[in-house]
Amino acid sequence: MKKIGNSDHITRREKKGIHSDRDRLKNLTSQDGDYKYKMGILCVFHPWNIQEDSFGITHEFYKDGKFVDKEVVIYRVKEKRESTKVEAVH
């Protein structure tokens, strides 16, 4: 899991960390390696968008040592009240 601090600009350090995690997931899911995990998922949390009352999570899926697919899920505040409800929007 990684958290991005600013949606307008990803720092070099954040990019390096995400790249490192991608390489790690490729290694962990490789069937030629020591671990042989069936699936790996990298979750990148995007910062809160104040204007839209939302935030996003990017999921990257890895299998057999390779990138397979990617999805971005946007969560928006449905209503403002004491206990805030959040809904997922794909």
Side-chain angles (χ1 to χ4, degrees):
M1 297 181 135
K2 290 292 178 202
K3 176 184 162 198
I4 296 174
N6 183 338
S7 60
D8 296 329
H9 175 73
I10 300 174
T11 66
R12 180 178 289 144
R13 181 176 169 197
E14 289 168 338
K15 283 181 188 178
K16 186 176 179 181
I18 291 169
H19 183 71
S20 173
D21 284 352
R22 286 177 177 140
D23 287 344
R24 187 176 305 122
L25 285 170
K26 289 175 185 175
N27 181 45
L28 290 171
T29 60
S30 172
Q31 299 308 296
D32 298 331
D34 295 332
Y35 298 98
K36 297 179 175 69
Y37 288 1
K38 300 268 187 233
M39 169 91 43
I41 303 171
L42 173 63
C43 299
V44 179
F45 290 83
H46 303 273
W48 185 259
N49 181 328
I50 296 171
Q51 291 80 19
E52 296 184 19
D53 277 339
S54 67
F55 69 95
I57 302 174
T58 299
H59 303 98
E60 293 183 8
F61 301 93
Y62 293 83
K63 185 176 180 178
D64 297 328
K66 297 177 185 153
F67 170 80
V68 177
D69 199 5
K70 173 177 160 178
E71 75 174 358
V72 178
V73 180
I74 304 296
Y75 294 90
R76 290 197 174 94
V77 173
K78 204 172 182 180
E79 300 176 21
K80 292 193 179 196
R81 56 183 175 162
E82 283 184 38
S83 88
T84 304
K85 289 186 177 180
V86 177
E87 68 177 335
V89 180
H90 292 279

